[in-house]
Amino acid sequence: PSAAPVSSQYLGTLKVLEDKSVQKNTTEFEKADSLRAAVYQNWLEKKKVFLKELKKNEQKKAENLKSNTEKKDAVKREEAIASFEAWKKKKGREAKKLNEKKKLEELQRKKVAEQNEEKTEAAQKAFEKWKERKLEYLREKNRKEKQSERIRKKKEEELIAEKKRDSLSAVEKWNEKKEEFVKQKKEEKIRERRKQEMQQAEKEEKSKKALEEYEKWLEKKERREQLEKKKKKKLQAVHGDEVSSPWSPP
């Protein structure tokens, strides 16, 4: 049977079930059709319940998903807030450290400035002391120079007086010195002449010895040459009559 008659039968049966004045004396075919209609009706009811439950579950999943998403967003917001607070605390610590560093640098600058000021004051005091010592030194030097000048003038005056006193015997002393100088020159000339004579004698002695050595060398050379000549003559005497072969084996 086709689907159309079955469908019409199900619809007709449903109408029959809705009718309260249905007859009890139906045929077996109608009973079976009614049973199938009841099963179909039961399946429709279960399907409605299943779809309703499915929709309810989907709504619940959607709500859970939304709740989880909201929780995740809340966690992210909390993490972001915590991260921002941590960053703010870190920046606060860094700012505090930077402030402390600036304070320390300022203290160091002040300390260096104070030390430089102290050094400048100490240098100024040292310069003042040096200037005082320099002035004292110059005064003392001027005093000593004047004293030295007075002593020098006094010595010059004494020397002039002494020269005047010694002027009478100056010529006599000069003559004595002159004679002594001439005597020394004569002695030096004598010593120089003796030295030259000794050098000449040594030179002649060396030339004499050199000549003797040369003569001995010549004599030895002549004897050596004579021996060489004798040896050559003997060799010529031994080998002179021998005629060399025109061909000699290798």
Side-chain angles (χ1 to χ4, degrees):
S2 63
V6 172
S7 178
S8 63
Q9 286 179 4
Y10 282 166
L11 293 174
T13 305
L14 287 173
K15 291 178 180 180
V16 171
L17 288 174
E18 290 176 358
D19 190 4
K20 293 181 179 180
S21 61
V22 66
Q23 298 293 328
K24 291 181 180 181
N25 52 353
T26 57
T27 64
E28 292 296 327
F29 178 77
E30 290 175 344
K31 287 181 180 179
D33 195 24
S34 299
L35 182 60
R36 284 194 295 270
V39 169
Y40 179 71
Q41 184 67 29
N42 188 22
W43 175 81
L44 285 176
E45 293 294 332
K46 288 182 178 180
K47 183 179 179 181
K48 288 180 180 179
V49 172
F50 172 76
L51 291 174
K52 186 177 181 182
E53 189 68 24
L54 182 63
K55 188 176 181 181
K56 184 179 179 182
N57 289 332
E58 288 179 354
Q59 288 179 350
K60 190 173 182 180
K61 286 181 181 180
E63 290 175 357
N64 291 333
L65 181 62
K66 184 179 180 181
S67 177
N68 290 332
T69 304
E70 289 177 353
K71 286 180 180 179
K72 288 180 181 179
D73 292 339
V75 170
K76 287 182 180 179
R77 283 196 299 273
E78 290 176 358
E79 290 177 351
I81 291 168
S83 177
F84 175 73
E85 292 295 330
W87 174 82
K88 193 162 65 173
K89 287 180 180 179
K90 183 180 178 182
K91 285 296 180 181
R93 288 194 298 269
E94 290 178 354
K96 186 177 180 181
K97 287 181 180 179
L98 183 62
N99 192 20
E100 290 176 354
K101 184 180 179 182
K102 286 182 179 179
K103 287 181 179 179
L104 182 61
E105 289 176 352
E106 185 64 25
L107 289 173
Q108 288 177 348
R109 281 197 295 271
K110 287 182 179 179
K111 186 177 180 181
V112 170
E114 290 174 357
Q115 289 176 351
N116 290 334
E117 188 176 355
E118 289 175 357
K119 287 179 181 179
T120 303
E121 291 178 358
Q124 185 65 28
K125 289 179 181 179
F127 175 73
E128 293 296 333
K129 288 182 180 179
W130 174 83
K131 191 164 67 172
E132 291 177 2
R133 289 196 298 268
K134 183 72 174 178
L135 291 173
E136 182 64 27
Y137 166 76
L138 292 174
R139 285 195 293 267
E140 184 66 19
K141 184 181 179 182
N142 189 25
R143 185 183 65 78
K144 288 181 179 180
E145 286 177 353
K146 287 181 178 179
Q147 186 178 1
S148 298
E149 183 66 19
R150 288 196 298 269
I151 293 170
R152 187 184 65 79
K153 286 182 179 179
K154 186 177 180 181
K155 285 183 178 180
E156 283 181 357
E157 291 173 357
E158 291 176 354
L159 184 61
I160 290 169
E162 187 177 356
K163 284 182 178 180
K164 287 180 180 179
R165 288 194 301 269
D166 295 339
S167 60
L168 296 175
S169 59
V171 176
E172 294 178 0
K173 289 182 179 180
W174 181 81
N175 288 330
E176 290 176 359
K177 288 182 180 180
K178 183 179 179 182
E179 289 176 1
E180 187 178 355
F181 176 75
V182 171
K183 185 179 178 181
Q184 287 178 356
K185 285 294 180 182
K186 286 180 180 180
E187 290 177 354
E188 287 177 1
K189 284 182 179 180
I190 292 169
R191 286 196 296 271
E192 184 66 24
R193 187 170 62 253
R194 287 178 181 175
K195 183 179 178 182
Q196 289 178 358
E197 289 174 356
M198 289 177 69
Q199 289 176 350
Q200 184 66 27
E202 288 177 358
K203 186 176 180 181
E204 290 176 357
E205 184 68 21
K206 287 181 180 179
S207 298
K208 185 178 178 182
K209 286 182 179 180
L211 183 61
E212 288 176 356
E213 292 292 331
Y214 178 70
E215 289 175 353
K216 287 179 182 180
W217 177 78
L218 283 177
E219 188 177 351
K220 287 180 180 179
K221 183 181 179 185
E222 287 176 0
R223 284 200 301 270
R224 191 165 54 251
E225 288 176 351
Q226 288 175 2
L227 288 173
E228 290 292 331
K229 287 179 181 180
K230 287 179 180 180
K231 286 180 181 179
K232 286 181 180 180
K233 285 180 180 180
K234 286 181 180 180
L235 290 172
Q236 287 176 358
V238 173
H239 302 288
D241 297 334
E242 294 180 0
V243 178
S244 63
S245 177
W247 179 85
S248 60

